[in-house]
Amino acid sequence: MNKGARLLGGTDMEIKHIQDHLMSVEEGYVRCFLIEGENAALVIDGGVEAGLREMVEKQTSKPLTFLLTHSDPDHTAACGEFEEILVHPAEMARLAQKRKTQSRFVAVQEGDRLDFEPYHFEVVLIPGHTPGSIALWEKEKRFLISGDSVTNATTFMFGEGRNLRAYLYSLRKLAAIADQLDVIYGSHGPVEVPPSRIGELIALGEQVERGEIQGVPAERFAGDIQEYRSQDAAIYYPAQDKE
Ligand SMILES: [Zn+2]
């Protein structure tokens, strides 16, 4: 649970304690994560604000590893502040194109282990929201850091690189480990997501795929984007009749 602000940055950034050595860096509608291990720290995602590194370095003096769950622009503002970016190869071309960064890319792949004692993460490849979206699974501590793929907010599933079929495949893969999770930490919306959200998103995605559910026009976007919602799951997706 959040225990309130511990540090306030010069911008709208705020570090919140989640559990033990796991913190979130709240940036309004999106968040990054910080895991402070015994010897090293892991920063997950680069948010929408510059100055993330400075903010994190007020919290910890441990050497920092920087990783992206995916390369959407609301997760990459601080990329240039880190020498190395751990990211799945399927995100690299887009990242290189969008961000004029000198940072080196380091590939992380399905099944890779990231050890930040006492945390041990396994990389789970979950394409669909983007081609190289990854989640980090802490098996022993029974949580998953899910990026945008499983959240309390509405997941963007329209536009370049989105793939509903792949997203459903990835959600089914996560469903297979859902009973080994107590909580999921998402990038948008309230941070703690119940593992049952995975099943709700699968049910919703299947209904959308089969054209069995009515969406509501999402007026914040141009075009024919609809918000589809069922139980507590929600996605933005193009209107079915225009597909
Ligand atoms: Zn996002």
Side-chain angles (χ1 to χ4, degrees):
M1 299 297 291
N2 293 336
K3 288 182 182 164
R6 296 181 63 184
L7 269 178
L8 279 168
T11 58
D12 293 331
M13 267 183 237
E14 187 185 332
I15 293 190
K16 284 189 172 174
H17 181 262
I18 297 177
Q19 55 156 275
D20 298 328
H21 303 284
L22 169 61
M23 287 151 272
S24 68
V25 184
E26 302 290 327
E27 297 190 7
Y29 69 93
V30 67
R31 69 176 57 82
C32 312
F33 292 93
L34 169 64
I35 285 106
E36 191 178 16
E38 281 163 18
N39 305 308
L42 175 65
V43 179
I44 300 169
D45 285 345
V48 287
E49 305 254 14
L52 175 66
R53 183 175 184 150
E54 201 187 330
M55 182 74 175
V56 162
E57 284 177 340
K58 286 181 199 162
Q59 180 70 31
T60 179
S61 55
K62 308 274 164 67
L64 302 177
T65 297
F66 178 66
L67 171 141
L68 294 180
T69 59
H70 65 296
S71 65
D72 277 353
D74 57 327
H75 298 255
T76 57
C79 279
E81 298 170 17
F82 298 88
E83 293 77 34
E84 282 187 351
I85 302 173
L86 276 63
V87 62
H88 189 273
E91 302 288 302
M92 286 180 187
R94 179 192 190 209
L95 197 58
Q97 206 173 41
K98 282 200 166 181
R99 319 282 325 170
K100 300 268 176 277
T101 171
Q102 302 300 311
S103 316
R104 279 189 308 279
F105 296 149
V106 178
V108 286
Q109 309 267 10
E110 166 81 4
D112 281 357
R113 298 254 318 184
L114 299 167
D115 294 320
F116 291 83
E117 212 56 58
Y119 292 87
H120 306 276
F121 294 101
E122 183 180 323
V123 173
V124 185
L125 178 61
I126 49 167
H129 175 63
T130 67
S133 281
I134 56 168
L136 295 184
W137 181 21
E138 221 303 349
K139 202 169 183 175
E140 201 173 304
K141 298 191 180 356
R142 297 179 58 87
F143 71 82
L144 185 83
I145 293 176
S146 60
D148 284 6
S149 298
V150 183
T151 73
N152 284 313
T154 304
T155 297
F156 284 46
M157 288 304 302
F158 67 91
E160 207 187 326
R162 315 293 189 204
N163 184 324
L164 182 60
R165 180 66 51 90
Y167 182 58
L168 281 168
Y169 179 89
S170 295
L171 288 169
R172 288 182 196 113
K173 185 170 156 184
L174 292 180
I177 64 164
D179 65 348
Q180 296 176 66
L181 298 173
D182 291 333
V183 64
I184 295 169
Y185 297 119
S187 297
H188 299 280
V191 65
E192 292 187 4
V193 185
S196 56
R197 184 63 36 78
I198 298 167
E200 293 173 2
L201 281 164
I202 293 171
L204 173 63
E206 286 175 346
Q207 281 179 295
V208 170
E209 213 177 31
R210 292 194 295 255
E212 291 173 0
I213 186 168
Q214 199 70 33
V216 174
E219 270 147 29
R220 59 186 286 205
F221 307 113
D224 57 0
I225 307 307
Q226 310 273 309
E227 183 176 35
Y228 295 91
R229 182 172 280 281
S230 172
Q231 301 170 85
D232 287 322
I235 63 171
Y236 291 120
Y237 193 74
Q240 297 295 70
D241 53 350
K242 303 273 179 63
E243 270 290 84

